[in-house]
Amino acid sequence: MDFKINEYPHLQFGTLFCIGRNYAKHVEEMNSKQSDDPVVFLKPRCSIIRSGESILLPNQSENVHHEVELVALIGKETKNIDHEHALKSVKALAVGLDLTARDLQSTAKKSGLPWTLSKGFNTFAPIGNFFEYDESIDVQNLDISVSVNGVNRQSSNTSLMLFNLETIIHYLSTRFVLYPGDLIFTGTPEGVSRIVPGDRIRAALGNNLSTLEVYVK
């Protein structure tokens, strides 16, 4: 059953916490190194769009990539929660895209600067429909995929995450207070690639428990 959150505008969402380098093969394809702790960055709320809307490619970048991800919606105030109880903070799940201006990110990395400008453009966080999370759902065994113009580009399973959702929530909650409406983007598997105007992007989580379709302008 979808939450009413699917029927309302973006303003009810809180902070967008994002996890980088959370699938080994994606770390390899980016020529990066696995980290001992989750890599955390943020996106602004203006980056959120919903299914049926359009991604607006910014003039400042010539190489924007799609990154399909499991997204968790926090349902209650959470601070210093242990691993065992971490999933009790989750209200719902969805499929999402973490769009990245790869050229801007590469420049930032070389200069030792933050990634915010490459991750936070308007429309850079498309999110599909939310479905209620309960203990019957094995959040660490969900298929996740994305296709562009009918061609599959990313296909994986959340079991391959280096830091599972419990670990991510525990880690974040020991450094920040998580509030209802906060979103956690949990990282992307391998297969990220460029999108261009005219592309149609479709993403799915689980057995189509959450789906997303957006267009690129």
Side-chain angles (χ1 to χ4, degrees), residues 76-148:
K76 64 179 182 180
E77 185 172 321
T78 303
K79 183 177 181 180
N80 292 322
I81 198 166
D82 57 31
H83 287 81
E84 181 180 358
H85 299 99
L87 292 183
K88 296 183 181 298
S89 299
V90 177
K91 180 177 183 180
L93 302 170
V95 68
L97 296 176
D98 165 23
L99 299 177
T100 305
R102 194 68 70 196
D103 45 0
L104 301 186
Q105 186 189 46
S106 296
T107 298
K109 285 181 176 180
K110 291 176 182 176
S111 302
L113 298 174
W115 300 353
T116 302
L117 292 180
S118 69
K119 294 283 192 176
F121 285 100
N122 295 333
T123 75
F124 264 34
I127 305 173
N129 63 286
F130 286 91
F131 62 93
E132 183 176 0
Y133 170 74
D134 62 50
E135 294 181 355
S136 69
I137 298 171
D138 185 355
V139 71
Q140 291 308 140
N141 186 27
L142 294 172
D143 290 333
I144 188 167
S145 63
V146 67
S147 65
V148 179

Side-chain angles (χ1 to χ4, degrees), residues 66-80:
H66 60 74
E67 302 185 8
V68 68
E69 310 201 2
L70 163 71
V71 179
L73 171 68
I74 296 299
K76 64 179 182 180
E77 185 172 321
T78 303
K79 183 177 181 180
N80 292 322

